[in-house]
């Protein structure tokens, strides 16, 4: 599991879940405030206590992710991945991949918007043929 943890560390995966505990605490507090408006001040104070009590709990996410890698890759494959990520190409991948993924997602969103407009236009054209413009 150490190799899987090393891969996750090189990929800076912890940044993805670093705010998990405060986020869940805030979400729970917000939900409780909605049904207990008279207790907002108290719930604000209790949120600090709860966040402190559960601080560090997000490390369980990292352990679960490391276990997921161990379930998918053999020990040898994980060791090979560690070697790869330490190589010049692996280092480049670690830096460039987040941008590539972000740019890919942006492209997919633009594509989906344009395609949605084309589909809607086709619906309108077909409905117009039926004498039912929309």
């Amino acid at each position: 599991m150490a190799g899987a943890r090393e891969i996750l560390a090189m990929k800076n995966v912890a940044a993805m879940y670093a705010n998990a505990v405060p986020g869940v605490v805030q979400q729970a507090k917000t939900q409780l405030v909605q049904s207990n408006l008279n207790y907002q001040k108290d719930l604000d104070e209790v949120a600090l206590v709860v966040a402190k009590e559960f601080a560090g709990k997000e490390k369980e996410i990292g352990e679960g992710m490391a276990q997921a890698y161990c379930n998918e890759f053999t020990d040898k494959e994980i060791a090979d991945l560690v070697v790869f990520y330490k190589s010049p190409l692996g280092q480049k991948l670690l830096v460039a991949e987040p941008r590539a993924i972000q740019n890919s997602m942006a492209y997919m969103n633009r594509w989906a918007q344009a395609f949605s407009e084309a589909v809607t236009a086709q619906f309108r054209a077909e409905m117009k043929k039926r004498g039912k413009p929309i």
Side-chain angles (χ1 to χ4, degrees), residues 43-117:
L43 288 167
D44 287 342
E45 293 169 3
V46 168
L48 297 174
V49 172
V50 172
K52 186 176 180 180
E53 183 169 327
F54 288 114
K57 195 86 168 140
E58 71 280 353
K59 290 177 184 147
E60 292 175 4
I61 299 169
E63 288 301 306
M65 292 174 82
Q67 185 59 55
Y69 269 72
C70 291
N71 293 343
E72 295 297 324
F73 299 99
T74 66
D75 289 345
K76 168 78 168 96
E77 290 169 332
I78 288 174
D80 290 346
L81 283 169
V82 169
V83 170
F84 168 73
Y85 282 121
K86 289 181 177 181
S87 73
L89 180 57
Q91 290 294 300
K92 181 176 182 178
L93 179 64
L94 291 171
V95 171
E97 188 175 41
R99 285 192 311 268
I101 291 170
Q102 184 178 22
N103 290 337
S104 297
M105 294 301 295
Y107 171 80
M108 287 174 35
N109 289 336
R110 289 190 307 274
W111 178 89
Q113 180 63 38
F115 184 63
S116 176
E117 290 169 9

